[in-house]
Amino acid sequence: MINRLLSFLDASPVNFLAAKNIADELERAGFRRFDPTMSIGAIKAGDKLFVTKNDSSVYAFRIGKKPLAEAGFHMICAHCDSPTFRIKPNAEMLCEGGIVKLNTEVYGGPIMSTWFDRPLTIAGRVIVKGKNAMSPVTLLLHVKRPLLQISNLAIHFNRQVNDGVKLSKQKDMLPILGIIRDRLECGNLLMNVICDELKVEKDEILDFDLYLADATPACTFGVHNEFLSSGRLDDLSMCYAGLEALLAAKPANTTQVLAIFDNEETGSQTKQGAASPFLAMMLRRIALAQSGTEEAFYQAVERAFMVSADNAHAWHPNYSEKYDPSNHPVLGGGPVIKFNAAQKYASDAVSAAVFAEICREAGVPCQRFVNHSDVAGGSTLGNILASSIPLRGVDMGNAILAMHSCRETGSAADHIYCVKAFTQFFNTKE
């Protein structure tokens, strides 16, 4: 199971590739890809379908034995984007000695210093000409070799570097791509890489969404290989746990839903984010196809339960003062239920009790997280989604260290625990 997770992380350096890899696994498991421009048609118990949006979000449904109106749905949601750096248009910047660096902008909230002095690559999507202007073609790109690096300034030029340095997003975080060897390469170095990788001509390319990614493979470490080390554990580890649980679960009376959103790291306010009405529209269409009435959707929402799966903060042995004195989850301690008095999380006593009991039934330990009252916390998918679909639900996640670092640390045992808990949740009766 852990090797499957590591392989998924390595194959999913950006949201577009994560969505494709999830969609491919769903298709291999017999889920039918649904074209949202077409009629959904007749829906019957046991049907398995999925739909994508923007090539970067995925929504999968296993239709329950009972109609949505009677049994509701059990949903796990997560997000497939992670903090990184987006390559700007006209990105190449020629410097002395023929060195070319790329102009980038920050996506989300990365710990920028962790991106220095490590091999990086690029990944994302490239848009090429199609049959007409309204129908361009999307090609996915993943350069599977070290291609770039953001290099530190030597300590000799910055003696205060170990005292803390304020980094400029525009000056300090620009990666080196290569050295121009002849005049023809000037201004074309990045485009040449894209064309070579995708086997297309330069004049076919219309635009791209390309990002930096760590080129070092995911791995385990520790005396017992008990730790996970990878970029994008937040939140791809939760995406993959949800997928594994959906594929392992048995058909049930209740409809099972896996929703993998994009753009959580930038606020979810996109057509493929948790604030979009797209998921609600799909559930309405399924309810209408089953019953012929929209009332069925509203009945289903009242019977539904949502697990918003986004990683939690593990207790750090070097910084214990940053954590709540009595609610600080540890690596290997099991899934973490997250609470916040300001309602940044969807969890309340009822939904927490439900998820804790599911963990107990699955034979899995369960932890609680509350922020230290003097330390501001973040928010996640649960309350954003619940503001558009009033779902009963819980915010949870596996505990990790160095959240938003280029490389985060998690627990192998926690991943196994989480898949067991998620599978139990999908198998639990209404």
Side-chain angles (χ1 to χ4, degrees):
M1 182 181 292
I2 298 302
N3 286 337
R4 291 197 299 272
L5 171 63
L6 298 178
S7 296
F8 173 74
L9 291 166
D10 288 341
S12 306
V14 292
N15 49 356
F16 304 111
L17 284 152
K20 179 190 183 298
N21 292 328
I22 291 169
D24 287 348
E25 290 212 33
L26 289 167
E27 284 193 307
R28 285 193 289 269
F31 281 73
R32 171 177 61 89
R33 183 186 289 268
F34 169 65
D35 181 350
T37 66
M38 307 295 288
S39 169
I40 199 168
I43 293 288
K44 64 180 185 301
D47 280 353
K48 299 187 293 185
L49 63 153
F50 74 95
V51 63
T52 63
K53 188 72 171 175
N54 188 54
D55 304 316
S56 64
S57 61
V58 186
Y59 311 86
F61 310 86
R62 181 188 278 123
I63 306 303
K65 297 175 184 176
K66 290 185 177 181
L68 274 174
E70 296 180 24
F73 54 91
H74 286 175
M75 179 167 67
I76 294 172
C77 58
H79 67 90
C80 61
D81 64 318
S82 299
T84 180
F85 297 84
R86 185 179 188 274
I87 299 174
K88 292 181 179 179
N90 306 310
E92 292 188 32
M93 303 172 73
L94 183 61
C95 308
E96 280 195 55
I99 292 176
V100 173
K101 62 183 180 181
L102 292 183
N103 195 6
T104 63
E105 60 180 326
V106 172
Y107 177 89
I111 303 176
M112 294 195 297
S113 62
T114 64
W115 286 76
F116 283 118
D117 303 321
R118 64 171 69 241
L120 304 173
T121 188
I122 61 174
R125 65 178 177 182
V126 177
I127 311 304
V128 301
K129 292 178 180 178
K131 59 184 179 181
N132 57 56
M134 295 301 294
S135 304
V137 174
T138 297
L139 302 177
L140 298 185
L141 175 69
H142 180 192
V143 180
K144 296 181 180 179
R145 67 179 177 92
L147 188 66
L148 316 100
Q149 183 168 292
I150 304 171
S151 292
N152 252 308
L153 182 66
I155 194 171
H156 309 78
F157 301 125
N158 186 4
R159 296 290 183 180
Q160 289 75 45
V161 65
N162 292 322
D163 299 327
V165 174
K166 182 175 177 58
L167 297 173
S168 164
K169 297 173 184 177
Q170 186 61 67
K171 175 180 172 60
D172 298 311
M173 306 311 298
L174 305 186
I176 296 170
L177 175 62
I179 298 177
I180 294 292
R181 295 179 300 183
D182 59 60
R183 193 175 301 173
L184 292 176
E185 285 188 328
C186 189
N188 292 308
L189 214 56
L190 175 62
M191 198 59 70
N192 288 346
V193 171
I194 296 171
C195 291
D196 289 346
E197 289 286 327
L198 297 179
K199 310 302 180 190
V200 297
E201 298 298 324
K202 182 180 176 181
D203 61 4
E204 295 179 69
I205 296 174
L206 300 174
D207 215 324
F208 56 71
D209 291 313
L210 295 176
Y211 299 85
L212 306 188
D214 184 12
T216 307
C219 67
T220 57
F221 72 98
V223 173
H224 310 292
N225 285 316
E226 62 266 54
F227 301 116
L228 302 171
S229 174
S230 175
R232 308 172 306 283
L233 286 176
D234 174 29
D235 193 34
L236 290 186
S237 61
M238 294 291 94
C239 293
Y240 200 66
L243 175 65
E244 292 235 295
L246 180 64
L247 300 185
K250 301 173 183 177
N253 289 336
T254 304
T255 293
Q256 300 157 349
V257 181
L258 177 67
I260 306 299
F261 296 104
D262 191 12
N263 303 131
E264 189 275 344
E265 299 294 354
T266 55
S268 298
Q269 303 293 319
T270 61
K271 61 186 178 299
Q272 59 273 3
S276 166
F278 184 75
L279 175 60
M281 289 164 55
M282 283 300 304
L283 290 167
R284 276 194 183 93
R285 293 174 73 171
I286 291 172
L288 276 166
Q290 284 184 321
S291 66
T293 171
E294 192 166 308
E295 185 71 19
F297 167 71
Y298 299 108
Q299 291 175 286
V301 168
E302 294 305 312
R303 291 187 166 95
F305 194 93
M306 166 192 65
V307 174
S308 168
D310 199 356
N311 289 103
H313 297 292
W315 178 80
H316 196 304
N318 295 345
Y319 303 98
S320 60
E321 72 279 3
K322 294 292 185 180
Y323 297 83
D324 183 77
S326 59
N327 295 281
H328 45 264
V330 296
L331 292 169
V336 179
I337 300 172
K338 300 189 286 187
F339 296 90
N340 183 266
Q343 305 303 302
K344 290 186 176 181
Y345 300 131
S347 310
D348 57 26
V350 175
S351 62
V354 169
F355 188 75
E357 183 64 8
I358 287 167
C359 288
R360 188 194 65 78
E361 291 175 352
V364 166
C366 183
Q367 306 181 86
R368 265 82 169 170
F369 171 82
V370 184
N371 274 300
H372 187 291
S373 295
D374 294 329
V375 178
S379 60
T380 184
L381 299 166
N383 58 344
I384 295 173
L385 184 58
S387 66
S388 59
I389 309 176
L391 294 166
R392 182 174 58 142
V394 64
D395 265 304
M396 56 72 62
N398 279 344
I400 64 172
L401 293 172
M403 188 180 289
H404 289 199
S405 172
C406 186
R407 201 156 181 102
E408 299 161 328
T409 296
S411 160
D414 284 341
H415 180 70
I416 296 169
Y417 288 147
C418 196
V419 173
K420 288 181 178 179
F422 284 177
T423 305
Q424 180 67 29
F425 169 63
F426 277 139
N427 287 335
T428 298
K429 296 179 181 178
E430 179 204 357

